[in-house]
Amino acid sequence: MAWLNTLLYPAVLVAIFLGFQALGAAPAVAALPALLALLVSLPLRVKNLWKEKQAWISLGVVAPSRKDVFKVLLRGFIKAVLLLLVLLIGLFFAGQIKWQPQISAGLLLNGFALGVGVGFAEELLFRGWLLGELEFRFASKAWGKSLALVLQALVFSLAHTRFNLPLASLCGLLGGLTLLGLALGLQRRADAGLIWGAVALHGGLVGGWFVLNQGLIGQQEGNPIGSWLAWIPLLLLIWVRRRWW
């Protein structure tokens, strides 16, 4: 019954999102009521189930000081920039870049909004709630924290994968997303439980790639996270963060 409770919680959020989409709402609009439901219900869940009185601290949203938030945001954003830079260099030497600069203020604003929206909403759900929920469920096991880290990364990967892809592309995407989920989970642990470094890393990658893909290097087919150009730096980042397993 306890695990059923854990499974039903995100299912309800997804049902809200899909319900508004069925009514004709655009994905970005349909996501708003689901996000509102998450923001209202999550602190109540943390207090009642996890028995944590300060829910937003337990979720990694509230920090002792603003300086702490700024520091982890900056570290996460720098990692996102470096990962994108490595990807660009790899694409350049692979001959896959078609330079066509079309940067505009509107494109930058859209990229920023996309990065902030996706970064915060998904990190609150996956690294704030899911990682914490799994750690709570496996608290009695010696290897519980490591298992929680791996499982949240797998769930994150499955939730983002398109299963209509060819097998090789599907495996690459699943693997890359799993590595990203591990890196984001380790980022939160390295930041003393704050999710803002993971928000900046995740949002920086999403928003940054949107701007690059739409306004600088030409449309790239597929998600670059599934290629070895992304796997290598992600594996390196995970290795650097290995002490937080």
Side-chain angles (χ1 to χ4, degrees):
M1 183 61 70
W3 281 105
L4 179 61
N5 184 294
T6 298
L7 293 172
L8 286 177
Y9 181 66
V12 171
L13 297 174
V14 171
I16 293 173
F17 172 72
L18 294 177
F20 276 87
Q21 269 200 314
L23 293 175
V29 176
L32 293 178
L35 177 60
L36 179 61
L38 176 68
L39 292 174
V40 171
S41 64
L42 193 50
L44 298 176
R45 182 180 182 85
V46 170
K47 290 178 181 179
N48 294 329
L49 181 62
W50 300 5
K51 306 303 180 183
E52 295 285 352
K53 295 182 179 180
Q54 297 178 307
W56 292 116
I57 292 179
S58 299
L59 291 166
V61 176
V62 175
S65 73
R66 293 180 181 179
K67 290 183 179 180
D68 294 331
V69 174
F70 177 76
K71 287 179 180 178
V72 297
L73 278 171
L74 183 60
R75 287 199 293 264
F77 182 71
I78 289 174
K79 290 184 181 68
V81 171
L82 291 175
L83 286 170
L84 288 173
L85 182 60
V86 170
L87 181 61
L88 278 180
I89 292 172
L91 289 172
F92 175 78
F93 283 106
Q96 298 181 28
I97 288 181
K98 300 176 182 178
W99 298 107
Q100 51 179 42
Q102 297 177 352
I103 300 294
S104 66
L107 180 64
L108 292 174
L109 183 60
N110 285 338
F112 177 78
L114 180 65
V116 171
V118 171
F120 176 71
E122 293 201 356
E123 288 313 302
L124 181 61
L125 179 62
F126 288 102
R127 257 59 62 180
W129 167 71
L130 182 58
L131 181 57
E133 183 100 356
L134 291 173
E135 288 176 344
F136 171 78
R137 296 296 184 191
F138 295 126
S140 61
K141 302 183 183 299
W143 37 266
K145 293 191 69 174
S146 296
L147 181 58
L149 182 68
V150 172
L151 284 179
Q152 64 84 27
L154 290 173
V155 173
F156 174 74
S157 176
L158 291 171
H160 287 79
T161 298
R162 294 163 48 199
F163 289 94
N164 60 341
L165 296 173
L167 182 59
S169 299
L170 176 61
C171 291
L173 187 58
L174 281 169
L177 287 167
T178 300
L179 292 177
L180 178 59
L182 290 172
L184 291 168
L186 291 170
Q187 181 69 45
R188 182 187 175 184
R189 289 181 177 177
D191 291 332
L194 292 177
I195 66 167
W196 295 108
V199 169
L201 174 55
H202 189 169
L205 290 174
V206 171
W209 179 248
F210 173 81
V211 171
L212 291 173
N213 200 28
Q214 297 290 326
L216 186 60
I217 64 174
Q219 295 286 335
Q220 301 291 315
E221 294 184 5
N223 191 330
I225 200 75
S227 72
W228 63 269
L229 295 173
W231 277 44
I232 292 175
L234 284 172
L235 284 168
L236 178 60
L237 181 58
I238 291 170
W239 181 80
V240 170
R241 295 295 194 194
R242 64 192 182 281
R243 60 174 288 195
W244 283 280
W245 273 79

